[in-house]
Amino acid sequence: MADGRFPEISDVNRHIGQVLTRAVPGRVDISWTPSEILCNPGGTVHGGYIAMILDNAVCLAAASTGERFVPMLTLNLNVDYLRAVRADETYTVAGTCVHPGRTRMYSTATVDDADGRPVARASASVVPNKAFAR
Ligand SMILES: CC(C)(COP(=O)(O)OP(=O)(O)OC[C@H]1O[C@@H](n2cnc3c(N)ncnc32)[C@H](O)[C@@H]1OP(=O)(O)O)[C@@H](O)C(=O)NCCC(=O)NCCSC(=O)Cc1ccccc1
């Protein structure tokens, strides 16, 4: 990841409109432009999709600390929704691995709008998915 080659495991990136723009060990940046299909009946992006992109960010931040990419398993995800997310607007998502422990890795993630206002925050513990580590 740190050398600019990003994992393309499934088509979830395209489905939710995320583009991984940068990865250095312990930190990833994602550009997110959600489309209308992600909206709830109230017309704002469904909280489940906001949690999904935060989950992606915490996992990718943890994965970026390794020498090669290994998918993560999320053990818990705590999300605070601070402002509504709107379709067709572009958001900046940042994931940071705060504690790259040998057993448990702890990461945080943020979603900010184009004006730099905080929109959602998350923290999570993740572990490498051993099914992929062989
Ligand atoms: C609104 C509040 C909860 C509280 O706001 P505060 O912390 O007190 O902050 P502040 O007063 O500074 O206002 C900030 C902005 O909020 C606006 N605003 C204020 N009060 C209300 C209000 N009562 N209603 C609406 N908007 C309100 C206010 O005008 C301002 O906007 P502006 O600066 O003028 O443009 C905020 O934290 C929030 O929107 N969180 C995101 C929640 C979210 O998106 N959850 C996920 C999606 S839900 C889902 O998917 C579940 C589902 C499933 C299936 C079907 C359906 C649904």
Side-chain angles (χ1 to χ4, degrees), residues 32-35 39 42-45 83-91 119:
W32 184 34
T33 310
S35 66
C39 288
T44 62
V45 172
R83 304 182 72 86
V85 172
R86 306 201 179 279
D88 302 324
E89 293 186 14
T90 298
Y91 295 85
V119 168

Side-chain angles (χ1 to χ4, degrees), residues 23-70:
V24 294
R27 164 80 189 233
V28 295
D29 293 311
I30 296 168
S31 174
W32 184 34
T33 310
S35 66
E36 227 165 276
I37 58 166
L38 305 187
C39 288
N40 60 38
T44 62
V45 172
H46 193 291
Y49 287 111
I50 303 168
M52 180 187 274
I53 197 139
L54 288 162
D55 195 3
N56 291 345
V58 294
C59 286
L60 287 168
S64 73
T65 63
E67 284 189 9
R68 65 188 179 92
F69 176 76
V70 176

Side-chain angles (χ1 to χ4, degrees), residues 10-130:
S10 71
D11 65 358
V12 73
N13 291 356
R14 203 166 24 257
H15 180 69
I16 68 170
Q18 76 169 31
V19 178
L20 195 54
T21 54
R22 178 171 165 263
V24 294
R27 164 80 189 233
V28 295
D29 293 311
I30 296 168
S31 174
W32 184 34
T33 310
S35 66
E36 227 165 276
I37 58 166
L38 305 187
C39 288
N40 60 38
T44 62
V45 172
H46 193 291
Y49 287 111
I50 303 168
M52 180 187 274
I53 197 139
L54 288 162
D55 195 3
N56 291 345
V58 294
C59 286
L60 287 168
S64 73
T65 63
E67 284 189 9
R68 65 188 179 92
F69 176 76
V70 176
M72 296 286 151
L73 287 174
T74 310
L75 306 185
N76 74 298
L77 182 72
N78 181 58
V79 178
D80 281 300
Y81 299 101
L82 306 175
R83 304 182 72 86
V85 172
R86 306 201 179 279
D88 302 324
E89 293 186 14
T90 298
Y91 295 85
T92 303
V93 184
T96 305
C97 186
V98 176
H99 172 72
R102 279 170 296 177
T103 304
R104 189 180 76 161
M105 310 175 91
Y106 175 78
S107 296
T108 59
T110 63
V111 179
D112 292 342
D113 69 14
D115 295 323
R117 295 183 298 190
V119 168
R121 293 285 184 263
S123 60
S125 293
V126 306
V127 291
N129 186 336
K130 286 186 176 167

